[in-house]
Amino acid sequence: MNSEDVRFFSGLSNPRLAQKIADHLGIPLSGTHVSRFSNDNLFIQLGASVRGRVVYIVQSLTPPVSDHLVELLMMLDIAKSAAAREVHAIIPYFSYARSDKKDAPRISITARLIADLLKTAGATHVMTMNLHSPQVHGFFSMPTDPLTARGLFLDYFLKKELNPAEAMVVAPDMGRAGSAARFAALLGLPVATASKVRISDTQVKIGGLLKRQIYGFKHALVYDDEIATAGSVTELSKLLVRKGEVEDITLICTHGLFLGKAEQRLAAIPQIKEIVTTDTTMMPDDRKLPNLTILSVAQIFGEAIRRNYLHESIGDLFTFGYS
Amino acid sequence: MNSEDVRFFSGLSNPRLAQKIADHLGIPLSGTHVSRFSNDNLFIQLGASVRGRVVYIVQSLTPPVSDHLVELLMMLDIAKSAAAREVHAIIPYFSYARSDKKDAPRISITARLIADLLKTAGATHVMTMNLHSPQVHGFFSMPTDPLTARGLFLDYFLKKELNPAEAMVVAPDMGRAGSAARFAALLGLPVATASKVRISDTQVKIGGLLKRQIYGFKHALVYDDEIATAGSVTELSKLLVRKGEVEDITLICTHGLFLGKAEQRLAAIPQIKEIVTTDTTMMPDDRKLPNLTILSVAQIFGEAIRRNYLHESIGDLFTFGYS
Amino acid sequence: MNSEDVRFFSGLSNPRLAQKIADHLGIPLSGTHVSRFSNDNLFIQLGASVRGRVVYIVQSLTPPVSDHLVELLMMLDIAKSAAAREVHAIIPYFSYARSDKKDAPRISITARLIADLLKTAGATHVMTMNLHSPQVHGFFSMPTDPLTARGLFLDYFLKKELNPAEAMVVAPDMGRAGSAARFAALLGLPVATASKVRISDTQVKIGGLLKRQIYGFKHALVYDDEIATAGSVTELSKLLVRKGEVEDITLICTHGLFLGKAEQRLAAIPQIKEIVTTDTTMMPDDRKLPNLTILSVAQIFGEAIRRNYLHESIGDLFTFGYS
Amino acid sequence: MNSEDVRFFSGLSNPRLAQKIADHLGIPLSGTHVSRFSNDNLFIQLGASVRGRVVYIVQSLTPPVSDHLVELLMMLDIAKSAAAREVHAIIPYFSYARSDKKDAPRISITARLIADLLKTAGATHVMTMNLHSPQVHGFFSMPTDPLTARGLFLDYFLKKELNPAEAMVVAPDMGRAGSAARFAALLGLPVATASKVRISDTQVKIGGLLKRQIYGFKHALVYDDEIATAGSVTELSKLLVRKGEVEDITLICTHGLFLGKAEQRLAAIPQIKEIVTTDTTMMPDDRKLPNLTILSVAQIFGEAIRRNYLHESIGDLFTFGYS
Amino acid sequence: MNSEDVRFFSGLSNPRLAQKIADHLGIPLSGTHVSRFSNDNLFIQLGASVRGRVVYIVQSLTPPVSDHLVELLMMLDIAKSAAAREVHAIIPYFSYARSDKKDAPRISITARLIADLLKTAGATHVMTMNLHSPQVHGFFSMPTDPLTARGLFLDYFLKKELNPAEAMVVAPDMGRAGSAARFAALLGLPVATASKVRISDTQVKIGGLLKRQIYGFKHALVYDDEIATAGSVTELSKLLVRKGEVEDITLICTHGLFLGKAEQRLAAIPQIKEIVTTDTTMMPDDRKLPNLTILSVAQIFGEAIRRNYLHESIGDLFTFGYS
Amino acid sequence: MNSEDVRFFSGLSNPRLAQKIADHLGIPLSGTHVSRFSNDNLFIQLGASVRGRVVYIVQSLTPPVSDHLVELLMMLDIAKSAAAREVHAIIPYFSYARSDKKDAPRISITARLIADLLKTAGATHVMTMNLHSPQVHGFFSMPTDPLTARGLFLDYFLKKELNPAEAMVVAPDMGRAGSAARFAALLGLPVATASKVRISDTQVKIGGLLKRQIYGFKHALVYDDEIATAGSVTELSKLLVRKGEVEDITLICTHGLFLGKAEQRLAAIPQIKEIVTTDTTMMPDDRKLPNLTILSVAQIFGEAIRRNYLHESIGDLFTFGYS
């Protein structure tokens, strides 16, 4: 990549990952000045000229989500208005992907709204990772690449040579069933699905057949896309221990937020031996999780950006609907 | 509804349902002239003035899908260009909802493309039914109401008072797991999911845990959104018979196309006691399926149209992401 | 107004004003449910059906501005997607109007960006008040009515029968010069302008000619559009006292935020006898400002909404470029 | 042309011409996989990465027109969504150009609709040939080059050194009058026009003055843009023989479809000595027309593509409103 | 029509016709203030509130065309920005319809450009008359009604009971051939076409076969859409006299501009017995043309406006591609 | 700059400046053919192929403004339609910037309208100079660079080494106060502002405090953005002489139109010693103004174009809201 021709910026949400991607590409990370006016309006200034250049802006929609979103929209607008040639929104964690359907009256399919706002603000291309459902890809009106972190997890677990008679992959709900099954197949393991069913707006039932599925297995790999307050994943863990003969549990998730009571909830279950996640979100230094393994997605994003810039195919970094 | 203020038209795909909806509303179905020029171009003329009126156009994307799609786009364009006040596309069967994600490189998320084409052609509102996945709702840029046929099926099966110790609902694949589970819960039945996993572009594996889930059940209700050539549903039926102790099978699907070898495939499995579907697609008169029950969705669409016209909520006719 | 035909909602920023406007119109204020998912995503549900109706959404962009903005965008999106007939964004305080020009390289004209985002989210009409500069009106792509609170201030001060030989209006900077001059003329008072000049990005100079202008006056009415942390307005107040013979000062501002050190700064200047503001922003109950007078804009917004609904002219509620 | 920088694809309608154009350019024709799902939905996959590249897609709107149109729209969408730099729709035969005006109530100006659909699907540039009327050019919202095949016909007939006292050009109707006259002038021949007048929707009258115009000529060159079922052109041929002294007839048309009864109709008129057409449409191998001459437009399209890629003027390949 | 619900304005080009249309409808013509700033910028103020109303703006694109166009665009923008419910551009004479194709390199299809500008400025519907070619209809992106004045001419000439053995209709060029033929057929007269062929950018040839066509006729009705400086129509008139046995000529045109040397050119040909035109353009009082008959189109526009407002079909006032 | 890759055109308004900019860049100025059809329609043809190239079109909106605007829109449309890669509108004098707010009911914010029309016509980038207010920048939907001529004036006046005790800068109204103050600060001079207040639509009052401000100064530099008929600037000049002790006056304005009575008005005030302006507008050869100094902006535009083409920052040529 021609470092004169590109500009690389980071919002406030995940500068650590942005720096790693920039390092991978051998491109400097230009500064971004973010401050607030006295009335709480954001003020943002990009630290390098973007005229006619290819601009990359890295921002994860981690808490405070609204601020990080508005930051991103303003950065895109600056790049567009200052005559950038291309404006790439690199959104490792697109939190609103979870708001992907209208499952109650008079609510918003917010993922589509955000996709439209990104377009309005000036994004000409989006890169993101492990969207909550593969259909969210179709919400974007500009070319979009939902990359996958599955390769990272595969590499990590293949080395462990898990025994298919003892270890199984567990999807925490029906929505994750497809991706968990695919992950399991690639590891040569069986898969079970917890059928958490939303019967009405207030009632959730965890399927009675889970017990049948997990019968006889000792090691469970719970495969989720995102852990926020760890409520459902710890509930499931308890169930696995209680209903089955599961002895130890590994939690796997692309987006590890670990907010609120997550730390204490996870600490309360001794069978959780390891939590494997990535750096799509930036862990505050003061958050302590034992047995946490963080795999970096910097190389995946870096490689995707490089290939896109050089007009090479990025198909093998891509999710293709099943991550 | 003020019959002077509205116009109701049907394309060639499902005039029978269109007529039923019109009857339900007490509105005349105006004629549509469809013919072809000698070079195969379509020629369409709407049979009544639409100026300033609220226009409804009913078209299912049944085979020949491309012709029916272009017909619909032209009808929308006519209404828009002739100064209709509102143009409602009523698409009981939106076939392309299945093309909702990019699960291979260099393919189209065609459901989004079609949604955009409908917008360009002039649709100001869309009504459809049981989209393949609830996220497809978010592909549309205009207000869209994905109605549900589940209520029809519920009414029909609740009368049968099925025994939860003997009968279960089976989802034919992971994608249907959610809606099948919800349907089962409302019937008070357990649910199993066949984990048909696509490992690579050419390899599909049917999950080994199905046997565990169906063990002990005699009656299986396979709950799918669409049956075309009945390939996968008959394969699953065989599996249910062979792997479990299932004695009889009921197939339930909103969109029953029964194309190609569907008739003979279904006839070859004596355990299939009944097929329950709806009239979102129009069955040709010469297609014979034994034990076929067709429930009409005319009242649902009619009611939704009436309420929308009268500015009443249609929330209870709605899918809310779980059909 | 036909209360069946309209729906009135409020975001979290200023429910008190929203309720007053609704009361003025004799329309119920429908509920809005706002909560957060565990990952900090906003979840919003409107509490009444909007199908085919005229919808009004009241939201001021007060701190936390980003959250209030995203809330507003989501509410607009919900109304649009749920087939509202018209979607009116009532934004009494449009904070980003201050970001109305590019006065440094690589920044955003954020007021234009926000106007575009409102359009994308679904606003078909905007009502706001006393924009920082009248040109911001031109940033909006939909019909927009910038109302004025000047009439409220005029009514209030005309009663005081100020003596033009002793009292004068002071504009805190060049940008306010026009509106201050017009306000002064309507009160029959002279006007002075503090020429705070930004020479470079870091250097600000307060004009040496102010002293000449204020010479001989005892009462100063400082006329501003917005007071946030009260930094510049208290500095000006000190100058008026020090450089002139000003004995008492009245601060007038449409949008009174009084954030951060505002309370103590204002309290430190005994010559500030009164602060007159409006309820475009909602004062927290625990914020105490002595001598504060809050005039309500509810009637102005209510009247503008009523006339707009009834297709009457609202010209006399309008700013016409000089507030 | 840099073959690394471009991608050349063909839909199913005219791969033979696509291959010839590719050969002319020295660029490989990449594969396109087209199949159907069991519900008749089209499935299309482009056979080479298009990221950042200039993509050309060749498709003629020959029967089945709707399928070929939807194919084209999907191919454009794939290229756009996969981040192609430019997406050129090469449509040698744009059948819907004939639907270019509203000559009955409540019909569609379908040519405009299709132009808008192409834009929505992602075409950034269109190349086509001999549009039915030059105004159709103005229907397209992106740069569009309507090329002309007239040069091919001129070269072919100039060699025959026709005698202006014996040979004349005949326009089959008023719409063709302009282009026929221009063609005649370039050959140095006189021109006559059959004034086929549509008086009402059902009544067509062939002008009585044709006889006067063709009196004395032996050789007639009927110059049309398209022959589909050959109905009108054979009727005219009979008239020329019957009303005049015409001994032999040459039919010239850019787009030769020869559908339905065309073969037998043409065979039934011995005076038709030759039919000269081009390969904008692909003749099925089993269609036999005696005396058929097919001139290839591959070089014209190839040259236009090459010059466009190299930023050279293509004015001399252009129609300029009179072909 | 509810005169409270509509607003009727006229630009400066043809207030006389606007008043007549308003009179026909029984609606007052509201004032429009048009003036210029000292720098030649136009300043326009509409004289009545348009909020929520249906607005009609009448403007013909007569000289000075650019001023009249910018006036119209500004009036549309005012209506749109001031929240009119519908904005109808009534353009009796759309001069740029003649710039409908690209018949030279690097020129503009200006009719399409103007149609797009009207859309941008805010027109939601267009009414116009006798577009130069029927395809221009397809340039507009909003509902558009190209009305026809042919009925007026028919009524006028049917009363004259012309003899088909002596009188004929003459189209001045190929482009007019279709409409002239249709007009002739309705009068029961034969038709001839002057084949003015543009061979190159500088060479025009008048077809040699005209003489054959007009042989034997005494009365010629030259049927054109527009006469500006009367250059081509007087040249044709001379030809008819010289080449044939034509004794008297009637000129018929919808849009009679009679600019520049038109008066003297027409006066110089004694065989021109009558000129029949309409008031789509406003004749200056000082322009004197002998034997001029002006038929008013006010009733046609008025009726079309009335029906459109009342949601009635206007099909019989329509052109349908053949005027 | 690669002269093969760019095309440089001028409209009729200011070819002299266009030529100078082209000379500065070492790029040929390609011809533009502008003429009129007999019906007053403009006909424009660009004199060089633009396919795939970067196109610059120079046009000032000087009188006749409407013609120059339509010319510009057509030239942009030609470039866009002929597949130019980028289309830059270089508008040294954007007259409509003065219509930047709605200061009366039912008028147009015409500057925004024009910005939108430029977008519709095809401009991908705009360069202009000294907009009437910096907010107008935000009206444009494409990247826009409002350059500044202040540097030229500074260079010119710094050489004169004016004495801050004797010379002052005067802003002719509140709108100019900011830019005048900044200009004064850079020259080290004090600044005064004439507070011309528009109290109602018909009443203007010149502020009584001017006298205080100018007391004691001998030399006044009146700093305005535009002089058209010189009405207000000459009135102000008289006031300066009468109310103060001003001995000589220098008028400075970026856009010098000098229309109507400007010559005689300016000649009537002997104290006006010099008028300093630029060539953003083209002075007719027959207009004689004594003591006129014209500074050329060619280098500024040339440099901005060059840097933009080479992807260099143009920040230091930029206005940043304070010119």
Side-chain angles (χ1 to χ4, degrees), chain F residues 3-263:
Chain F
S3 72
E4 275 308 292
D5 190 43
V6 303
R7 285 289 181 263
F8 211 85
F9 299 99
S10 174
L12 292 186
S13 66
N14 200 343
R16 213 181 286 156
L17 174 59
Q19 185 64 60
K20 276 190 182 173
I21 299 173
D23 289 349
H24 176 87
L25 292 166
I27 296 284
L29 181 64
S30 298
T32 306
H33 172 78
V34 182
S35 62
R36 285 173 193 270
F37 287 106
S38 60
N39 66 356
D40 198 47
N41 277 0
L42 282 168
F43 171 80
I44 302 187
Q45 187 172 34
L46 296 185
S49 172
V50 302
R51 189 170 292 270
R53 290 193 174 78
V54 177
V55 173
Y56 302 91
I57 296 169
V58 179
Q59 181 83 320
S60 272
L61 297 184
T62 49
V65 174
S66 297
D67 276 326
H68 287 155
L69 174 61
V70 177
E71 255 179 46
L72 174 58
L73 294 170
M74 288 175 67
M75 292 173 79
L76 295 169
D77 180 56
I78 295 169
K80 176 185 72 170
S81 303
R85 185 163 93 246
E86 300 174 6
V87 184
H88 301 261
I90 312 296
I91 312 175
Y93 170 56
F94 184 69
S95 67
Y96 273 106
R98 296 185 82 92
S99 298
D100 62 353
K101 58 180 178 290
K102 193 166 170 183
D103 48 16
R106 295 180 301 281
I107 66 167
S108 164
I109 301 181
T110 316
R112 171 65 195 263
L113 171 64
I114 305 294
D116 286 347
L117 298 180
L118 293 170
K119 172 104 180 165
T120 298
T124 61
H125 178 226
V126 171
M127 281 185 176
T128 182
M129 182 163 271
N130 283 33
L131 290 170
H132 182 63
S133 63
Q135 288 83 1
V136 172
H137 188 175
F139 291 1
F140 292 86
S141 300
M142 66 290 267
T144 294
D145 295 306
L147 305 173
T148 181
R150 199 184 50 220
L152 292 178
F153 295 129
L154 268 183
D155 288 351
Y156 186 78
F157 285 98
L158 281 172
K159 290 185 196 139
K160 297 190 185 251
E161 300 185 356
L162 297 163
N163 179 353
E166 299 192 331
M168 79 181 317
V169 172
V170 181
D173 58 45
M174 288 297 179
R176 298 299 95 203
S179 57
R182 190 164 158 84
F183 181 63
L186 290 164
L187 284 177
L189 300 182
V191 64
T193 300
S195 62
K196 197 175 55 181
V197 181
R198 184 173 296 273
I199 295 162
S200 71
D201 284 354
T202 53
Q203 229 187 319
V204 173
K205 187 178 155 185
I206 294 171
L209 295 175
L210 181 62
K211 193 174 171 180
R212 288 188 178 198
Q213 297 180 58
I214 62 173
Y215 178 81
F217 290 98
K218 290 182 185 166
H219 314 299
L221 282 69
V222 177
Y223 190 73
D224 208 347
D225 60 337
E226 168 183 328
I227 295 179
T229 53
S232 63
V233 88
T234 49
E235 197 160 335
L236 172 63
S237 294
K238 288 180 206 163
L239 212 72
L240 291 173
V241 171
R242 204 173 63 233
K243 289 221 177 181
E245 303 164 8
V246 169
E247 294 170 6
D248 59 72
I249 296 168
T250 305
L251 301 183
I252 308 167
C253 70
T254 309
H255 310 297
L257 295 161
F258 307 112
L259 300 169
K261 300 188 179 173
E263 278 184 52

Side-chain angles (χ1 to χ4, degrees), chain E residues 177-200:
Chain E
S179 57
R182 190 164 158 85
F183 181 63
L186 290 164
L187 285 175
L189 301 181
V191 64
T193 300
S195 62
K196 197 174 56 182
V197 182
R198 184 172 297 273
I199 296 162
S200 71

Side-chain angles (χ1 to χ4, degrees), chain E:
Chain E
M1 288 174 76
N2 173 358
S3 72
E4 275 308 291
D5 189 44
V6 303
R7 284 290 181 263
F8 211 85
F9 298 98
S10 174
L12 292 186
S13 66
N14 200 343
R16 212 181 285 155
L17 174 59
Q19 186 63 61
K20 277 190 182 173
I21 298 173
D23 290 348
H24 177 86
L25 293 167
I27 297 284
L29 181 64
S30 298
T32 307
H33 173 78
V34 182
S35 62
R36 285 172 194 271
F37 288 106
S38 60
N39 66 356
D40 198 48
N41 276 0
L42 281 167
F43 172 81
I44 301 186
Q45 187 172 33
L46 295 185
S49 171
V50 301
R51 190 170 291 269
R53 290 195 173 78
V54 177
V55 174
Y56 302 92
I57 296 168
V58 178
Q59 181 82 319
S60 272
L61 299 183
T62 49
V65 174
S66 297
D67 277 326
H68 287 155
L69 173 61
V70 176
E71 256 179 47
L72 175 57
L73 294 170
M74 287 175 69
M75 293 174 79
L76 295 169
D77 179 56
I78 295 168
K80 176 186 71 171
S81 302
R85 185 164 92 245
E86 299 174 7
V87 185
H88 301 261
I90 313 295
I91 311 174
Y93 170 56
F94 184 69
S95 67
Y96 273 107
R98 296 185 80 93
S99 298
D100 63 353
K101 56 181 181 289
K102 194 166 171 183
D103 48 16
R106 296 181 300 280
I107 68 167
S108 165
I109 300 182
T110 316
R112 171 65 195 262
L113 170 64
I114 305 295
D116 286 348
L117 298 180
L118 292 170
K119 172 107 183 164
T120 297
T124 61
H125 178 225
V126 171
M127 281 185 176
T128 183
M129 183 162 270
N130 283 32
L131 291 170
H132 183 63
S133 62
Q135 287 84 1
V136 171
H137 188 176
F139 291 1
F140 291 85
S141 300
M142 65 291 267
T144 294
D145 294 307
L147 305 172
T148 180
R150 200 184 50 218
L152 292 178
F153 295 129
L154 268 183
D155 287 351
Y156 186 80
F157 285 98
L158 281 172
K159 289 184 196 141
K160 297 189 184 250
E161 299 185 359
L162 298 164
N163 180 353
E166 299 192 329
M168 77 181 318
V169 172
V170 181
D173 58 45
M174 288 299 180
R176 296 301 93 201
S179 57
R182 190 164 158 85
F183 181 63
L186 290 164
L187 285 175
L189 301 181
V191 64
T193 300
S195 62
K196 197 174 56 182
V197 182
R198 184 172 297 273
I199 296 162
S200 71
D201 283 354
T202 54
Q203 228 185 323
V204 174
K205 185 177 159 186
I206 295 172
L209 295 174
L210 180 63
K211 192 173 173 181
R212 286 188 179 197
Q213 295 180 59
I214 61 174
Y215 177 79
F217 290 97
K218 288 181 184 167
H219 314 298
L221 280 70
V222 176
Y223 190 73
D224 208 347
D225 61 337
E226 168 184 328
I227 295 179
T229 52
S232 63
V233 87
T234 49
E235 197 161 336
L236 171 63
S237 294
K238 288 180 205 161
L239 212 73
L240 290 173
V241 172
R242 202 172 65 231
K243 288 221 177 179
E245 302 164 9
V246 170
E247 294 172 3
D248 60 73
I249 296 168
T250 304
L251 301 184
I252 307 167
C253 69
T254 307
H255 309 298
L257 295 161
F258 308 113
L259 300 168
K261 300 188 180 174
E263 277 185 54
Q264 61 197 83
R265 276 177 179 154
L266 292 164
I269 303 177
Q271 287 85 355
I272 297 178
K273 296 296 187 209
E274 187 177 11
I275 304 168
V276 185
T277 188
T278 80
D279 56 355
T280 58
T281 62
M282 190 170 77
M283 190 79 63
D285 291 331
D286 64 344
R287 207 165 295 157
K288 299 293 175 216
L289 283 162
N291 303 318
L292 181 69
T293 303
I294 300 179
L295 308 175
S296 179
V297 299
Q299 192 173 350
I300 300 174
F301 277 98
E303 191 59 16
I305 288 169
R306 198 188 59 78
R307 293 196 199 169
N308 184 73
Y309 181 78
L310 298 174
H311 300 173
E312 298 173 6
S313 173
I314 64 166
D316 54 328
L317 305 170
F318 210 80
T319 312
F320 294 132
Y322 321 102
S323 73

Side-chain angles (χ1 to χ4, degrees), chain A residues 133-267:
Chain A
S133 62
Q135 287 85 1
V136 172
H137 187 174
F139 292 0
F140 291 86
S141 301
M142 65 292 267
T144 294
D145 294 307
L147 305 173
T148 181
R150 200 184 49 220
L152 292 177
F153 295 130
L154 268 183
D155 288 351
Y156 186 79
F157 286 98
L158 281 172
K159 290 184 195 138
K160 297 191 183 250
E161 299 184 1
L162 298 164
N163 179 350
E166 299 192 331
M168 78 181 317
V169 172
V170 181
D173 59 44
M174 288 297 178
R176 298 300 95 203
S179 58
R182 189 165 158 86
F183 182 63
L186 290 164
L187 285 176
L189 301 181
V191 65
T193 301
S195 63
K196 198 176 53 179
V197 181
R198 185 173 295 273
I199 295 162
S200 71
D201 283 354
T202 55
Q203 228 187 320
V204 173
K205 187 177 157 185
I206 295 172
L209 295 174
L210 180 63
K211 193 174 171 181
R212 288 188 178 196
Q213 296 179 59
I214 62 173
Y215 178 79
F217 290 99
K218 290 183 183 164
H219 315 299
L221 282 69
V222 178
Y223 191 73
D224 209 346
D225 60 336
E226 167 183 329
I227 295 179
T229 54
S232 63
V233 87
T234 50
E235 199 160 333
L236 172 63
S237 295
K238 289 178 203 162
L239 212 74
L240 290 173
V241 172
R242 201 173 66 233
K243 288 223 176 178
E245 302 164 8
V246 169
E247 294 171 4
D248 59 70
I249 297 168
T250 304
L251 301 183
I252 308 167
C253 69
T254 309
H255 310 297
L257 295 160
F258 308 112
L259 301 169
K261 300 186 179 175
E263 278 184 53
Q264 58 195 87
R265 277 178 179 153
L266 292 165

